Amino acid sequence: MFENIHVSLTTPALLFPAISLLLLAYTNRFFALAALIRNLSADGKPINNSQLKNLRQRISIIKRMQESGALSFALCVLCMIFIYIGFNKVGALIFGCSLFLLLYSLLLSVIEIRISVDALNIHLKEMDR
């Protein structure tokens, strides 16, 4: 199945900037969410249960996004090590796993964006009152 697949050292290296930027974006989202939660708790105003549920869900998703992105990055490095020592087939397989983790991370990002939009809609409904 993997006989004809050839991955050179430059192939996984191409993902390094992309994954690094993604992890930076995920970290910024986490910090923004953490600041929002701190501001909500400092206000002393009652917080809607749906807002709390939404915030908890978003924190969990961002955590999984960061974990899968970091694992994808680690597998890229591992792939390069295996290719460097001459195990191209193993390196190609690890690179494929890295790509799937990156895809999973991106899908989680889309889900988190949708939940974030739901949170804004909840806030807008409260402003209508």
Side-chain angles (χ1 to χ4, degrees):
M1 181 175 174
F2 294 104
E3 295 85 29
N4 296 328
I5 294 177
H6 179 72
V7 178
S8 70
L9 276 174
T10 57
T11 306
L14 291 173
L15 285 183
F16 275 41
I19 295 173
S20 297
L21 287 174
L22 269 178
L23 291 175
L24 182 62
Y26 294 167
T27 301
N28 286 340
R29 285 164 106 165
F30 176 78
F31 285 142
L33 190 58
L36 174 65
I37 291 169
R38 287 186 185 100
N39 286 340
L40 283 173
S41 65
D43 286 346
K45 297 177 187 174
I47 301 170
N48 188 331
N49 281 339
S50 58
Q51 281 181 316
L52 289 175
K53 179 185 173 199
N54 188 293
L55 291 169
R56 283 187 185 100
Q57 195 175 23
R58 288 176 61 199
I59 289 170
S60 174
I61 290 172
I62 290 174
K63 179 183 117 183
R64 290 191 327 226
M65 285 165 36
Q66 289 175 318
E67 289 171 346
S68 59
L71 283 172
S72 176
F73 201 19
L75 286 182
C76 265
V77 173
L78 189 61
C79 164
M80 291 178 73
I81 291 169
F82 275 97
I83 291 170
Y84 182 74
I85 60 175
F87 294 108
N88 288 347
K89 290 180 185 175
V90 175
L93 183 64
I94 293 171
F95 183 64
C97 293
S98 174
L99 290 176
F100 277 113
L101 278 171
L102 184 58
L103 179 62
Y104 175 65
S105 178
L106 291 170
L107 291 173
L108 286 173
S109 177
V110 170
I111 292 168
E112 196 274 333
I113 289 168
R114 294 177 65 102
I115 293 171
S116 179
V117 169
D118 290 343
L120 290 173
N121 285 331
I122 290 169
H123 189 68
L124 288 172
K125 283 181 186 176
E126 288 180 359
M127 289 174 60
D128 278 343
R129 294 180 187 172

